[in-house]
Amino acid sequence: MTTLDAAFPPAALTVLDVIRARRTVDIGLLRPDPVPREVVEAILEAGTWAPNHGRTEPWRFTVFTGEGRAQLAEVFAQAYAAGSAPDREEGAALEAQRARAWRAPLWISLELHMPEKPKMPEWEEQAALACAAQNMWLAATAFGLVGKWVSGPVMVSPVAAQALGAPKLLGLLVLGYPAAERHTATRAPLADKVTWVE
């Protein structure tokens, strides 16, 4: 513990430790073990406490786990087939998209829902959803989970959004227990990115 750490209250240290422990981990490095429902619900609850201008709560989530991933597999295949990839009509390519859904035990869609007459500009609502995603990711980290936010063409496709009943998708959080030790990470010094005006 550093001298600086000794000056912080324990709750602050816990939050900072979780933030520093969060890692982006590829789907192939997740164990297949299911995530208990109560853990998933706690993660989702964390998302709902994100800041949102105007108290609009523009987020909705669809959770795919267990056999429910079969539905997500079809969403991926439909979205890919509707895209512009040269192999979009090939059976093998569509099967590869379906197989993707089974490679992680837990998928959570990040759906942007705005009223017909928005109170706030769309960029603010997207920022609120991003905050919700970060809250969920940090809560997942606290429960020992790792993963990544995937936002490739299939994951943000209007076809995928329509299949989920969402006006817009910002991607999905893919979570699971790590199959190996978490790798260490570094960041550039704070002084390189901050200007103090005192």
Side-chain angles (χ1 to χ4, degrees):
M1 180 179 286
T2 67
T3 306
L4 187 61
D5 285 345
F8 291 168
L13 287 178
T14 300
V15 170
L16 293 172
D17 287 342
V18 169
I19 290 170
R20 287 189 287 247
R22 186 210 55 78
R23 293 289 179 274
T24 297
V25 173
D26 285 333
I27 295 173
L29 298 176
L30 303 179
R31 297 199 323 248
D33 313 48
V35 179
R37 186 179 179 110
E38 58 271 23
V39 171
V40 179
E41 288 178 347
I43 291 168
L44 294 166
E45 177 76 14
T48 68
W49 284 98
N52 55 110
H53 197 183
R55 298 181 183 176
T56 57
E57 300 187 42
W59 44 71
R60 299 292 183 275
F61 312 112
T62 302
V63 179
F64 296 95
T65 187
E67 293 303 311
R69 291 173 293 174
Q71 182 179 337
L72 182 63
E74 289 308 312
V75 169
F76 286 166
Q78 291 168 19
Y80 193 80
S84 58
D87 61 352
R88 64 185 177 278
E89 296 180 1
E90 295 178 15
L94 298 179
E95 280 308 309
Q97 291 300 316
R98 290 186 180 98
R100 174 186 277 178
W102 299 97
R103 294 180 61 205
L106 175 62
W107 299 76
I108 302 174
S109 68
L110 303 173
E111 305 170 21
L112 183 67
H113 285 253
M114 295 176 61
E116 284 186 27
K117 296 181 178 178
K119 290 173 64 177
M120 303 298 162
E122 185 172 331
W123 76 265
E124 288 197 25
E125 302 291 48
Q126 288 181 345
L129 178 52
C131 288
Q134 179 72 347
N135 274 11
M136 290 193 291
W137 207 347
L138 292 176
T141 300
F143 282 108
L145 297 164
V146 294
K148 66 191 305 184
W149 179 344
V150 291
S151 57
V154 166
M155 280 72 173
V156 298
S157 162
V159 171
Q162 183 176 18
L164 298 183
K168 189 168 189 175
L169 270 179
L170 297 192
L172 295 100
L173 278 184
V174 185
L175 298 167
Y177 295 101
E181 261 188 61
R182 296 181 192 188
H183 61 274
T184 58
T186 59
R187 291 291 187 270
L190 192 61
D192 291 355
K193 298 181 170 63
V194 178
T195 299
W196 290 84
V197 181
E198 297 182 289

